[in-house]
């Protein structure tokens, strides 16, 4: 084994030891106090996650003057939900950033 092979092995070991990035799966177990279960023993709270906008609840408030008709019934619509956001039981794809102190929630898994 030459010096080049030794350097390659040492650099691969250094990268593996630092865990620069890893992809994990999790499950949302609580929305109110936002908790995600990563594995059987690891449950993390909101401060450990970066949550992209497309996974948050988005609703639009409408005035009472807006009416919609649905099969002969009129109803006043005051809030329109555009996106539900993450819900309890949702499976999520996680990207663990270097050092393992924070996760980026990439998307829901369906």
């Amino acid at each position: 084994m030459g010096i080049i092979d030794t350097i390659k092995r040492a650099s691969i070991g250094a990268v593996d030891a630092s865990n620069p990035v890893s992809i994990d799966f999790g499950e949302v177990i609580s929305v109110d106090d936002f908790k995600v279960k990563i594995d059987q023993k690891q449950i993390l709270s909101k401060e450990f996650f970066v949550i992209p906008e497309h996974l948050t609840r988005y609703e639009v408030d409408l005035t009472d003057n807006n009416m919609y008709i649905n099969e002969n019934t009129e109803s006043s619509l005051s809030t329109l939900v555009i996106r539900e956001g993450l819900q309890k039981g949702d499976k999520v794809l996680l990207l663990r950033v270097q050092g393992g102190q924070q996760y980026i929630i990439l998307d829901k898994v369906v």
Side-chain angles (χ1 to χ4, degrees), residues 50-70:
V50 175
I51 304 170
E53 182 181 18
H54 75 276
L55 293 175
T56 60
R57 184 175 178 88
Y58 177 59
E59 55 187 49
V60 177
D61 290 328
L62 304 172
T63 64
D64 287 337
N65 294 334
N66 290 320
M67 303 289 282
Y68 71 92
I69 300 174
N70 183 9

Side-chain angles (χ1 to χ4, degrees), residues 5-88:
D5 291 330
T6 304
I7 292 171
K8 283 181 184 177
R9 282 186 174 206
S11 63
I12 289 171
V15 169
D16 288 343
S18 67
N19 289 327
V21 173
S22 72
I23 295 177
D24 295 307
F25 292 93
E27 179 181 352
V28 177
I29 59 170
S30 175
V31 175
D32 295 331
D33 57 348
F34 198 78
K35 293 188 188 297
V36 175
K37 180 169 61 171
I38 307 297
D39 54 39
Q40 295 297 338
K41 296 179 182 178
Q42 191 175 20
I43 296 173
L44 299 176
S45 56
K46 188 173 187 170
E47 58 266 8
F48 288 93
F49 297 99
V50 175
I51 304 170
E53 182 181 18
H54 75 276
L55 293 175
T56 60
R57 184 175 178 88
Y58 177 59
E59 55 187 49
V60 177
D61 290 328
L62 304 172
T63 64
D64 287 337
N65 294 334
N66 290 320
M67 303 289 282
Y68 71 92
I69 300 174
N70 183 9
E71 295 183 18
N72 299 329
T73 58
E74 288 188 9
S75 179
S76 176
L77 184 64
S78 61
T79 303
L80 177 63
V81 177
I82 306 296
R83 271 190 321 261
E84 283 294 331
L86 292 171
Q87 301 292 314
K88 182 178 179 180

